[in-house]
Amino acid sequence: MKLSDLLSAGEVALVGAGPGDPDLLTIAARNLLADCDVIVHDALVPDAVLEMGAVDAERIFAGKRGGRPSASQEDISATLIRLAHDGKRVVRLKGGDPFVFGRGGEEIRALAAAGISFRIIPGITAGVAAPAMAGIPLTDRTVNSSLAFLTGHEVNEASRIDWASLVTAFPVIVLYMGARAMPRIAAKLLDAGLDAATPVAVIHAATLPGEEITTGTLADAAALRMTAKSPSIVVIGDVVAARSIWRS
Ligand code: SAH
């Protein structure tokens, strides 16, 4: 089987939609979207990507969007199982990559437990796409040989992060879902010993209309001299200074 082969009746494809621009879809994502019965999508998937879907495919919104209550993970999994049992060819479309802060793991475990056949199509995760669009190399031989992907929710829940170890092990940190938590995370990184002059980039709505890139320092981020709107990727580390601007 090729990843881009059309779905069978009752099959679910968990598909990464990439950061937003339809040009960054995989060939498999494009093929499966173009010939499926139902698209179950998250809020982060823009209309331009949904428009790549079969004209007659049913669209089901399953995610958070301003004020509306979010569908629970159990409800989403139950919906996917019901659609598959009805013999539909289902594309479960998620922003970025389905397995990076995307709860894809929970969904495939539910599908597997229900005996549904499924396929996984990786997508370009925002934490990789956004820095590329901003001309920031995530690794640079002069700066780092490791990098960390972190969720901003880490400061809200009981944090599992050892911040001192984090800054020692990872010279570059890529923060997802960090729009609100950025000042608190910056303060934690300063406390953990990271230099106040460490460069920071906030990349808002990468590859989407309204994209904005701002840069500053860790001290700026902690002191609210830099802010981030959702959705943003925040890159913290000297690679930000290695930036080459390649598009206006
Ligand atoms: N599975 C997704 C991440 C979902 S978590 C992925 O792999 O990309 C949602 C977070 O992703 C947002 O809060 C933001 O940090 C980031 N994000 C997603 N799309 C983005 C975009 N176009 N520009 C900037 N950040 C984005």
Side-chain angles (χ1 to χ4, degrees):
M1 180 207 75
K2 286 198 340 195
L3 288 178
S4 59
D5 286 347
L6 293 186
L7 293 168
S8 316
E11 191 181 356
V12 178
L14 185 63
V15 176
D21 183 337
D23 275 359
L24 296 177
L25 284 172
T26 59
I27 290 168
R30 188 174 65 173
N31 280 7
L32 299 186
L33 275 169
D35 199 345
C36 66
D37 300 315
V38 192
I39 301 168
V40 182
H41 64 96
D42 286 345
L44 269 177
V45 178
D47 290 345
V49 171
L50 288 176
E51 281 161 16
M52 310 280 290
V55 182
D56 53 353
E58 186 187 350
R59 269 84 169 156
I60 299 179
F61 172 71
K64 260 186 248 181
R65 194 178 277 162
R68 272 208 262 165
S70 63
S72 76
Q73 195 56 53
E74 294 74 38
D75 289 348
I76 296 169
S77 296
T79 301
L80 297 176
I81 291 166
R82 175 178 54 77
L83 292 166
H85 279 155
D86 287 350
K88 304 288 190 201
R89 299 169 303 150
V90 184
V91 169
R92 169 61 172 130
L93 193 60
K94 286 173 165 285
D97 182 273
F99 281 175
V100 179
F101 302 129
R103 299 197 162 201
E106 291 161 56
E107 292 179 16
I108 57 154
R109 285 195 293 279
L111 293 172
I116 309 282
S117 62
F118 62 87
R119 200 182 297 183
I120 300 161
I121 312 294
I124 305 180
T125 188
V128 169
M133 300 312 285
I136 297 168
L138 273 186
T139 68
D140 189 286
R141 278 204 299 151
T142 60
V143 176
N144 62 324
S145 50
S146 65
L147 70 132
F149 283 175
L150 189 70
T151 155
H153 290 170
E154 196 50 50
V155 286
N156 302 333
E157 295 158 12
S159 178
R160 289 171 291 183
I161 302 269
D162 175 346
W163 296 90
S165 307
L166 179 80
V167 300
T168 315
F170 302 108
V172 173
I173 297 169
V174 177
L175 180 64
Y176 288 72
M177 293 174 275
R180 238 182 306 153
M182 183 174 73
R184 276 175 296 154
I185 289 187
K188 285 207 186 277
L189 295 172
L190 286 171
D191 275 354
L194 200 58
D195 192 331
T198 304
V200 174
V202 174
I203 306 147
H204 168 67
T207 81
L208 294 167
E211 180 183 283
E212 274 174 45
I213 302 163
T214 47
T215 54
T217 64
L218 193 59
D220 293 333
L224 293 172
R225 286 190 297 269
M226 280 177 92
T227 52
K229 290 178 289 186
S230 188
S232 285
I233 286 290
V234 182
V235 183
I236 302 163
D238 288 339
V239 287
V240 172
R243 178 177 181 206
S244 303
I245 297 170
W246 62 280
R247 47 200 270 283
S248 48

